[in-house]
């Protein structure tokens, strides 16, 4: 069984997280807006916050990133990205299940912003029951 872990991201993880974003989301971004390396690097520089993001590991190797905000009335899943080589293995589902459990234990909602392959965004409240 694969051991899944989390560690706080550091500034040294910046390029890894950019390359991860490109691998995990590049196809979708290209289809909707077109991939502009300069724009994407600028966006990454603005949103990458070491110490707030976590690196997802599988058997000690980095496989993704997670950004969760613990707000007064909710747990907000700001971003989860897994490298395509590690998608479909239940890692994301496991992490979301853990967040759902935390939300239930703390009597809070678990929320996320949804992006679709059509570029539409909305808010999502995960069912706690």
């Amino acid at each position: 069984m694969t051991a899944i872990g989390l560690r706080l991201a550091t500034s040294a993880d910046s390029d890894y997280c950019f390359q991860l974003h490109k691998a995990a989301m590049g196809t979708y971004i290209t289809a909707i807006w077109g991939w502009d390396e300069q724009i994407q690097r600028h966006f990454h520089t603005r949103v990458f916050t070491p110490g707030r993001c976590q690196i997802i590991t599988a058997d000690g190797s980095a496989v993704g990133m997670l950004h969760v905000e613990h707000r007064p009335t909710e747990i907000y899943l700001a971003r989860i990205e897994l490298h395509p080589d590690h998608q479909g293995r239940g890692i994301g589902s496991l992490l979301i299940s853990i967040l759902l459990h935390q939300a239930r234990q703390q009597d809070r909602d678990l929320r996320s912003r949804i992006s679709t392959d059509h570029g539409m965004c909305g808010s999502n409240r995960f069912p706690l029951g």
Side-chain angles (χ1 to χ4, degrees):
M1 177 166 220
T2 303
I4 305 303
L6 295 170
R7 66 169 175 78
L8 279 179
T10 68
S11 57
D13 293 308
S14 180
D15 191 56
Y16 168 77
C17 288
F18 177 76
Q19 295 302 326
L20 170 68
H21 180 67
K22 190 174 186 177
M25 301 300 294
T27 302
Y28 303 105
I29 292 168
T30 300
I32 297 166
W33 298 288
W35 183 271
D36 182 308
E37 190 83 7
Q38 186 176 4
I39 290 171
Q40 292 302 318
R41 283 214 178 262
H42 177 71
F43 173 76
H44 173 73
T45 301
R46 282 187 312 122
V47 301
F48 178 72
T49 310
R52 290 185 77 191
C53 298
Q54 295 177 292
I55 302 300
I56 303 166
T57 62
D59 292 332
S61 297
V63 298
M65 67 86 59
L66 179 70
H67 180 179
V68 176
E69 297 174 10
H70 293 269
R71 299 174 176 176
T73 61
E74 66 187 15
I75 296 174
Y76 181 71
L77 175 57
R79 191 164 153 192
I80 183 171
E81 292 180 352
L82 288 165
H83 191 279
D85 292 345
H86 298 276
Q87 292 174 7
R89 297 181 182 186
I91 297 170
S93 296
L94 172 66
L95 294 171
I96 290 171
S97 293
I98 291 168
L99 291 172
L100 280 167
H101 178 74
Q102 287 177 354
R104 273 189 221 102
Q105 296 292 95
Q106 298 170 15
D107 196 29
R108 295 195 225 173
D109 289 333
L110 175 61
R111 293 192 181 270
S112 179
R113 186 171 156 221
I114 308 265
S115 296
T116 70
D117 56 356
H118 303 293
M120 298 167 26
C121 295
S123 180
N124 185 50
R125 180 180 175 276
F126 289 86
L128 298 180

